Amino acid sequence: MVAASGCASDTPSAQSTTSALPKPPITVGFLNPSGGPVPQPGTDTGVKAALSYLNGEFGGVNGHPIEVVWCDTDTTPERAQSCANTFVEKKVVAVMDGYNLSSSAALPALTAAQIPLVGMIPFDSVTGAKAENRVFFAAPQASFLIGALQAFKAEGKNSVTLALVDTPSSHQTIDGLLPVLAKALGISAKGIYFSATSPNFTAVASTIAQDNPDVGGLVAAPSEAVCTSLVKALRQLQYKGEIFTAACTDYIKGAPTQAAGGALYSSNWLPTAARYAPAEVQRDLTLAQKYISAVSGGTAGYYAFGEFALFVNFAKAMSAATDADLTGAGVLKTLKALKDFPSFLGPNITCGSATSPNCTTQLLLFVVQPDGSTKPVTDTWITPIPQALGAIPGAV
């Protein structure tokens, strides 16, 4: 049972239904990154699946169904600001971030209205730089770069060339974060860009291959198609280094043998790694997959599972609160107070840092196996080096 409502001028992402739950709904906003040059396909699938589970089998938040005000974004600050104004008008108690590249533009209006921004990974590094009025359940961007780079360094791989789509926030990562991290870890790291509207992955692959780094690939991927295109181009050039594909997994299905040996990271356990996961994680993966698969026309993948986890974490955390806390200020207070909280598909998290909106710095790094599964490179969650994180605002 999905309770949903749409923003004016937005494409409806779900149909409104009448919930059988006994109490009034909790209304949250959703910054849905479905448009523009760098969409994140699958986030809306994860939300629909999560609402179906939470407003049905889970029983809502103490009997309150979750209702969503959807607002489509296009990576521009103007659109994020417009969505924020809509959310304030609708009196939502929180806004869920769908891995948006311009979420920081929504913060002034939301903060003034005491509506917290809640997400997994802040893709907008400006959003991730401060803790005020926001909570992100997964690790910051810097953690993924540091965790991956330190793992590569531990394997004796000392040179890395990574590509990222050309957006303003990408320059903050490539021009600002990458050099600092490379110096702190003692590794040679080069960043390159590709066009958001007309990418040439043959050219990107050629730039990577000509340097012959130990590791080549992506810092982050706007879509599974990007990963598939780059991997194919690198293989055609007979690049022999380790191919790093950020959080992509779909490309593995088409050619698992070619994908074998590649690396990817994640803020949570993935279906492809289920056989290596603890028993309780396997149960949660089965649950998420059941509801995600039931979404008609939906896109499964990293973003779908991440957004499913976001809503489940939110619902479980707020289920420990009273009805009086179902306000913007109450939501922020409740989430900031989480300690050693068992996050869905993720590590135990503790929120409320004075300097970081993120509740953890931990991540998983996987290596693709010949059968297409993804095996963690460590027995436990990877914790990036605190000294390196300390150089990045909002990382710790």
Side-chain angles (χ1 to χ4, degrees):
M1 290 171 280
V2 180
S5 59
C7 291
S9 79
D10 289 342
T11 302
S13 299
Q15 294 182 344
S16 297
T17 63
T18 301
S19 173
L21 294 174
K23 296 183 180 180
I26 299 169
T27 305
V28 301
F30 174 46
L31 283 169
N32 180 24
S34 61
V38 193
Q40 310 297 358
T43 53
D44 55 352
T45 301
V47 174
K48 293 176 189 176
L51 290 174
S52 181
Y53 164 60
L54 294 172
N55 291 341
E57 180 181 342
F58 186 76
V61 177
N62 295 329
H64 295 275
I66 298 175
E67 182 176 277
V68 172
V69 176
W70 303 72
C71 200
D72 295 349
T73 62
D74 58 5
T75 74
T76 64
E78 293 77 14
R79 186 59 185 149
Q81 290 170 350
S82 176
C83 287
N85 292 333
T86 298
F87 297 145
V88 172
E89 179 185 343
K90 297 289 186 179
K91 294 182 171 58
V92 305
V93 300
V95 171
M96 314 303 258
D97 183 26
Y99 302 94
N100 280 272
L101 293 169
S102 57
S103 59
S104 59
L107 283 168
L110 297 182
T111 302
Q114 292 189 297
I115 300 171
L117 180 67
V118 184
M120 291 297 283
I121 306 167
F123 269 26
D124 183 336
S125 58
V126 175
T127 298
K130 294 183 179 179
E132 182 188 12
N133 201 55
R134 66 208 84 163
V135 175
F136 284 80
F137 294 125
Q141 284 189 42
S143 279
F144 293 94
L145 274 175
I146 294 171
L149 292 177
Q150 73 184 45
F152 296 144
K153 176 74 173 179
E155 295 173 344
K157 296 166 182 172
N158 296 307
S159 57
V160 178
T161 301
L162 300 175
L164 193 57
V165 64
D166 195 351
T167 67
S169 63
S170 296
H171 281 266
Q172 295 164 3
T173 300
I174 292 292
D175 303 340
L177 292 182
L178 193 58
V180 173
L181 302 182
K183 182 178 180 181
L185 295 170
I187 194 170
S188 173
K190 176 181 178 181
I192 59 177
Y193 299 100
F194 58 88
S195 169
T197 54
S198 54
N200 183 336
F201 292 108
T202 300
V204 173
S206 295
T207 301
I208 292 174
Q210 73 184 7
D211 290 337
N212 195 31
D214 296 327
V215 180
L218 296 157
V219 175
S223 72
E224 292 281 356
V226 166
C227 291
T228 301
S229 297
L230 183 58
V231 170
K232 182 178 179 180
L234 286 169
R235 292 303 188 202
Q236 287 176 340
L237 291 171
Q238 297 185 332
Y239 170 66
K240 301 300 183 184
E242 183 168 16
I243 297 178
F244 182 57
T245 57
C248 292
T249 57
D250 281 4
Y251 75 96
I252 301 171
K253 300 174 187 175
T257 302
Q258 280 194 334
L264 58 129
Y265 53 33
S266 178
S267 59
N268 49 261
W269 282 92
L270 302 170
T272 52
R275 73 174 63 172
Y276 307 105
E280 64 273 15
V281 173
Q282 292 181 14
R283 289 193 294 270
D284 287 345
L285 282 169
T286 299
L287 172 71
Q289 200 146 27
K290 168 187 169 183
Y291 282 93
I292 288 171
S293 299
V295 176
S296 177
T299 300
Y302 176 80
Y303 296 118
F305 282 85
E307 210 67 20
F308 189 95
L310 168 61
F311 273 74
V312 172
N313 286 335
F314 174 81
K316 286 188 173 182
M318 294 311 302
S319 291
T322 66
D323 280 6
D325 287 323
L326 299 180
T327 64
V331 167
L332 184 65
K333 178 183 176 182
T334 299
L335 299 185
K336 291 280 191 183
L338 292 176
K339 295 187 184 304
D340 203 28
F341 176 79
S343 68
F344 189 81
L345 301 181
N348 285 8
I349 60 176
T350 295
C351 307
S353 165
T355 56
S356 172
N358 297 83
C359 300
T360 184
T361 62
Q362 294 182 306
L363 69 146
L364 293 170
L365 186 70
F366 300 95
V367 173
V368 182
Q369 305 301 300
D371 63 358
S373 65
T374 52
K375 184 178 181 180
V377 300
T378 56
D379 293 332
T380 58
W381 290 84
I382 294 173
T383 302
I385 299 170
Q387 293 89 334
L389 281 175
I392 312 300
V396 292

